[in-house]
């Protein structure tokens, strides 16, 4: 839905994309690089806690949960790449080359994954993914009725557990 794209996907995309700014800091300034990375990670986590209030509490991984997990992994890899380059034994030319490789690979992955995620909104793209990739057969993008029934069932179940817990706690 448009709500998720405008209020969750675009802000998360911008936050993670801004984490690539760490590669603009010279590799020799490890403290500055880690300072930028930790600040962006804290921003990311704070925004995640705000977003959690608008998402249903379920035990299954929703599509939005996969996107957020990928965002965290990308952020962690940016921090790892920054540390790796800063503490490596490369000479100056090699350090900038390795830095550029990390930036290109991680940045390209993040843009590609976000475009893939947003494209799931369109039936034509889901049909294409279903036909092209055999590993996606188990996901079954086109069975939205089954998926929505399962997710609604999970929401109802988690709501009943919360009511039961509250009732037991009051007694």
């Amino acid at each position: 839905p448009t709500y998720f794209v405008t209020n969750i996907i675009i802000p998360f995309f911008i936050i993670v994309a801004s984490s690539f700014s760490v590669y603009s800091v010279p590799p020799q300034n490890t403290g500055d690089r880690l300072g930028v990375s930790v600040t962006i990670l804290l921003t990311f986590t704070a925004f995640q806690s705000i977003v959690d209030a608008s998402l249903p509490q379920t035990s299954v991984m929703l599509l939005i949960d996969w996107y957020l997990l990928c965002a965290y992994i990308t952020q962690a890899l940016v921090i790892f790449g920054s540390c790796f380059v800063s503490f490596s034994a490369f000479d100056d030319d090699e350090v900038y080359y390795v830095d550029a490789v990390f930036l290109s690979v991680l940045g390209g992955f993040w843009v590609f994954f976000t475009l893939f995620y947003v494209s799931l909104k369109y039936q034509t793209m889901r049909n294409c993914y279903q036909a092209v990739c055999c590993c996606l057969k188990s996901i079954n993008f086109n069975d939205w009725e089954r998926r929505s029934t399962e997710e609604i069932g999970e929401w109802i179940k988690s709501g009943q557990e919360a009511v039961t817990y509250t009732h037991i706690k009051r007694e």
Side-chain angles (χ1 to χ4, degrees):
T2 305
Y3 172 81
F4 286 117
V5 172
T6 57
N7 294 307
I8 298 174
I9 304 300
I10 291 174
F12 269 107
F13 177 79
I14 292 170
I15 292 169
V16 174
S18 66
S19 70
F20 295 115
S21 68
V22 74
Y23 292 107
S24 68
V25 177
Q28 298 79 10
N29 300 348
T30 307
D32 294 339
R33 279 185 156 210
L34 289 177
V36 169
S37 294
V38 168
T39 301
I40 292 173
L41 186 59
L42 289 173
T43 303
F44 189 84
T45 305
F47 188 71
Q48 168 78 32
S49 65
I50 292 168
V51 167
D52 277 346
S54 66
L55 296 176
Q57 300 289 322
T58 67
S59 59
V60 295
M61 289 287 285
L62 306 175
L63 287 174
I64 193 74
D65 295 325
W66 287 107
Y67 183 80
L68 299 178
L69 176 65
C70 186
Y72 270 108
I73 290 170
T74 303
Q75 180 68 30
L77 290 173
V78 166
I79 293 171
F80 170 78
S82 180
C83 290
F84 175 78
V85 168
S86 295
F87 294 114
S88 64
F90 298 120
D91 63 22
D92 285 343
D93 291 337
E94 291 173 331
V95 165
Y96 287 105
Y97 175 75
V98 173
D99 228 15
V101 168
F102 268 105
L103 174 61
S104 300
V105 170
L106 292 175
F109 168 76
W110 181 242
V111 169
F112 173 76
F113 182 77
T114 300
L115 290 175
F116 166 76
Y117 184 83
V118 171
S119 72
L120 290 175
K121 176 180 179 182
Y122 304 103
Q123 182 66 39
T124 305
M125 295 307 293
R126 291 193 304 266
N127 290 340
C128 179
Y129 298 143
Q130 201 76 34
V132 170
C133 187
C134 62
C135 63
L136 296 178
K137 296 273 189 234
S138 63
I139 293 175
N140 199 358
F141 289 115
N142 297 322
D143 194 0
W144 292 104
E145 287 296 320
R146 180 188 57 82
R147 185 165 180 87
S148 65
T149 303
E150 288 175 0
E151 289 184 12
I152 289 171
E154 284 293 322
W155 296 343
I156 291 170
K157 188 170 70 173
S158 68
Q160 288 172 348
E161 290 171 358
V163 169
T164 303
Y165 176 74
T166 305
H167 179 71
I168 291 171
K169 192 174 181 181
R170 287 183 184 169
E171 292 178 353

